[in-house]
């Protein structure tokens, strides 16, 4: 069987580990050959591919990014894009696809699946907001990076008696903000799942500085928004549909400085959270999900996604995943808000 492989959407550490597992497992299955598409779905639409072999995945386990390249191109966004994809699959005799991606890539896979293409998706996004899986590839590394940054910001905040605002990624969910906020000991955490009150936060900061501390750390997810009863407050989205990095952080920083009178500074972590070598946990998760995809792609009759469910890797139907967002659960929100 000739199987196409693509990595789509935002890159993240761990993608190459998953590709390595896919290639190694596919080579053990008689008759499997892999076509690696460059730059996600755009490579399929344009027929931009390479024969993906063991040579391409040697020593890639610790490498961030994706050796295939990626893009935010989605075939349904272009007139005739879906037909271009179907024509490439036909002409290249590709019988199934393995798609590593987040919500956008998975959504495109669902549409191709409706046109009869057999697809196994592998969930990856530092946002960890793919439904159906307890973890997505890249999340653990992003939390580790953000936690280290918050640790570092503590020392400068304490030295200057400042409020330090740290903006992290996560435009639809606050998984990174709540996780790194707890791990990094933040004093206030703002996430999309819990619209905030500026006055409530500033009042808490004033109280904290009056009673026992001379500095504060505020962690804000780029997609956090204010409560409807307060001033309209949320980051605009840019041309690519992603949140404009720094927008919410700048507004929060200015408001805190004005309302408390404390020196306030902003650090926007941005794409640093997606860079560099994956943690051991992400390498392990990527290897497990990638191998499961290579095993499944020749067996499935309906499109599916490999998923971590508890301690096990399972296959979940793609139709149960596409178009859904996995929000931060109440227990984790409560833990974050109790410990600030
Ligand atoms: O989807 C993952 C993500 O990193 C989001 O957290 C972020 O908002 C977005 O990608 C940034 O997109 P881009 O890399 O296209 O600027």
């Amino acid at each position: 069987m000739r199987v196409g492989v693509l990595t789509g959407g935002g890159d993240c550490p761990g993608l190459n580990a998953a590709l390595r597992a896919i290639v190694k497992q596919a080579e053990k299955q008689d008759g499997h050959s892999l076509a690696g598409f460059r730059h996600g779905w755009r490579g399929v639409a344009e027929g931009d591919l390479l024969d993906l072999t063991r040579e391409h995945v040697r020593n890639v386990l610790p490498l961030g990014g994706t050796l295939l390249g990626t893009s935010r191109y989605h075939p349904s966004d272009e007139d005739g894009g879906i037909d271009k994809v179907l024509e490439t699959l036909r002409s290249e005799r590709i019988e199934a696809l393995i798609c590593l991606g987040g919500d956008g890539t998975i959504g495109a896979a669902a549409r191709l699946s409706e046109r009869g293409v057999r697809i196994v998706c592998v969930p990856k996004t530092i946002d960890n907001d793919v439904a159906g899986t307890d973890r997505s590839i890249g999340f653990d590394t992003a939390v580790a990076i953000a936690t280290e940054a918050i640790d570092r910001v503590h020392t400068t905040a304490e030295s200057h008696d400042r409020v330090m605002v740290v903006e992290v990624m996560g435009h639809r969910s606050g998984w990174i903000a709540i996780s790194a906020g707890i791990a990094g000991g933040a004093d206030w955490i703002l996430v999309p799942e819990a619209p905030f009150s500026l006055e409530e936060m500033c009042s808490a900061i004033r109280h904290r500085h009056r009673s026992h501390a001379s500095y504060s750390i505020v962690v804000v997810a780029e997609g956090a928004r204010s409560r409807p009863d307060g001033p309209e407050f949320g980051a605009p989205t840019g041309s690519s549909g992603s949140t404009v990095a720094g927008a919410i952080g700048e507004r929060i920083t200015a408001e805190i400085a004005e309302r408390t009178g404390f020196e306030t500074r902003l650090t926007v972590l941005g794409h640093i959270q997606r860079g560099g070598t994956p943690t051991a946990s992400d390498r392990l998760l990527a290897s497990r999900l990638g191998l499961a995809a290579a095993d499944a792609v020749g067996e499935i009759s309906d499109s599916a996604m490999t998923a971590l469910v508890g301690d096990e890797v399972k296959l979940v139907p793609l139709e149960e995943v596409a178009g859904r967002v996995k929000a931060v659960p109440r227990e984790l929100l409560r833990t974050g808000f109790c410990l600030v």
Side-chain angles (χ1 to χ4, degrees), residues 29-101:
Q29 284 141 345
D30 294 339
H32 268 26
S33 67
L34 297 176
F37 286 101
R38 293 188 182 88
H39 304 301
W41 284 110
R42 191 171 75 219
V44 191
E46 296 174 353
D48 186 1
L49 61 98
L50 57 93
D51 287 331
L52 191 59
T53 66
R54 198 71 173 266
E55 286 313 303
H56 295 99
V57 295
R58 281 199 201 293
N59 306 320
V60 301
L61 201 59
L63 299 184
T66 162
L67 65 95
L68 289 178
T70 184
S71 71
R72 291 197 180 278
Y73 169 90
H74 297 131
S76 45
D77 292 347
E78 178 196 8
D79 286 347
I82 297 273
D83 291 334
K84 284 182 181 176
V85 165
L86 294 172
E87 174 52 25
T88 299
L89 299 183
R90 185 198 64 75
S91 61
E92 293 291 340
R93 302 184 327 285
I94 288 169
E95 300 171 66
L97 282 174
I98 297 176
C99 300
L100 295 84

Side-chain angles (χ1 to χ4, degrees), residues 111-168:
R111 274 184 284 286
L112 266 297
S113 178
E114 289 161 5
R115 299 290 295 270
V117 181
R118 272 187 308 168
I119 300 176
V120 178
C121 288
V122 177
K124 72 89 207 147
T125 174
I126 65 167
D127 295 352
N128 196 45
D129 59 3
V130 173
T133 182
D134 292 350
R135 282 287 178 275
S136 294
I137 297 167
F139 172 62
D140 185 70
T141 304
V143 172
I145 292 168
T147 301
E148 187 198 354
I150 294 167
D151 286 348
R152 290 179 179 277
V153 157
H154 262 90
T155 56
T156 182
E158 197 162 7
S159 302
H160 286 265
D161 294 344
R162 281 174 170 167
V163 178
M164 298 299 289
V165 177
V166 180
E167 181 187 299
V168 298

